[in-house]
Amino acid sequence: MSSPARPRSPALSALLALTVLSALLTACAPPSLQRHDGIAFGTNVALSYYGPRDEMLFLEFIRSLQDYENQMTIWDRELPSDVMTLNAQAGLSPRPLPPEAATVLRRALYWAEQSGGTFDPTVGPLVGLWGVATDHPKRPADSEIAAALPLVGWQKVEDRGQDGFFLTRPGMKIDLGAIAKGYGADEGARLLRARGLSGIVDISGNLFLVGSKPDRSPWRVGVQDPFKPRGQYLGVVSLSEGSLVTSGIYERYFTDEEGQRWHHILDPATGFPADSGLAGVTIVRSPSLDADALSTAVFVMGLHRGYAFVEGLADTEAVFVTTDRDLWLTPGLAEHFRLTGEFTLRTGRP
Ligand code: AMP
Ligand code: MG
């Protein structure tokens, strides 16, 4: 004979009801946005996503970025990076790179060719002369620039497959600073996708928007105003997925003794910071590796050449901001962009 069920105490019943209610509420509530902040590539990195907090995910992301930095940085450090070792072999012998750095350098050489050399990963000697990102930036003597220019040129790099890359002239230096952040953002996107998460990867303004938000509304991201401090926007782009990278005069610059301001994006043809009439360019394109290379390439090209170049590329859109405060959009962005700053929005072809 079965024993009769024992009546529950009122306190236990209330507790059960509360547990069920809170489980129901949790199931119905939209997942909250988690955000992790850190430093990698010598800059600020953030990873945001909807779902439960996952410290291991962020750790894995930062570790990947540190690995890439160990491969690709050219900033002085105790243990040279693989790219620094390759640079030290310039004019001597080819040198293999680890797979990630080799992928980035190959893509950099591809974009150098496509852009007609406005993006060029061999700008290293010029970057070193100007030192814009260092504590001792200076306007180099014309003679120094003239001496460095023959060491610049993507055609002077030989890709010897298994044997690695050969920098054919002594003194040549690869600098992947204009493309490596994009590669890092792609890794963040890969990690989010592998976990089925939607979110935003942000490597110092190098963005990747992954998946859709819980309410299915598009992501809204600010486009940096190149005349204002970082974090102040001139407009908002609404996108459901994709990568967005900006190059601009505001990112890194110094002012010389004569009060002239010099920024960090160099024209490999002249050896001087690009004076292209642009203050900033934002490229929308995936993967971010491509968007990053393109933002630099198009910035150096200037508005007219840059606009035509972007038009010729599949699945690529751009926002151009001129030094005269005009703003031009490629047609595919028109309905995704809202101006918030004091700029003149120009339509049609420049
Ligand atoms: P970004 O901010 O992506 O436009 O990259 C600029 C960084 O890339 C600079 O700080 C330099 O290290 C390097 N760089 C400058 N000019 C060029 C160029 N024309 N092509 C490739 N890399 C460049
Ligand atoms: Mg770039």
Side-chain angles (χ1 to χ4, degrees), residues 117-149:
T118 58
F119 169 89
D120 193 324
T122 65
V123 287
L126 292 168
V127 174
L129 278 183
W130 285 91
V132 179
T134 69
D135 294 337
H136 319 285
K138 69 164 175 50
R139 184 221 188 277
D142 289 350
S143 58
E144 291 177 293
I145 291 177
L149 281 174

Side-chain angles (χ1 to χ4, degrees), residues 119 177-179 206 245-247 291-296:
F119 169 89
I179 185 169
N206 213 298
V245 180
T246 302
S247 282
D292 196 2
L294 283 168
S295 70
T296 310

Side-chain angles (χ1 to χ4, degrees), residues 54-104:
D54 184 348
E55 299 295 342
M56 289 309 291
L57 165 62
F58 189 59
L59 204 63
E60 197 179 330
F61 180 42
I62 291 291
R63 283 213 184 112
S64 293
L65 296 183
Q66 280 165 350
D67 178 27
Y68 302 161
E69 193 174 348
N70 291 338
Q71 293 184 28
M72 299 180 223
T73 187
I74 53 160
W75 299 114
D76 249 356
R77 61 211 315 260
E78 239 169 77
L79 206 64
S81 72
D82 298 279
V83 167
M84 286 161 85
T85 308
L86 171 69
N87 288 343
Q89 287 300 109
L92 298 174
S93 59
R95 171 105 200 162
L97 288 176
E100 294 83 1
T103 298
V104 175

Side-chain angles (χ1 to χ4, degrees), residues 145-164:
I145 291 177
L149 281 174
L151 305 176
V152 177
W154 57 273
Q155 302 94 330
K156 296 166 195 153
V157 180
E158 289 176 11
D159 182 350
R160 300 217 183 146
Q162 299 282 22
D163 291 337

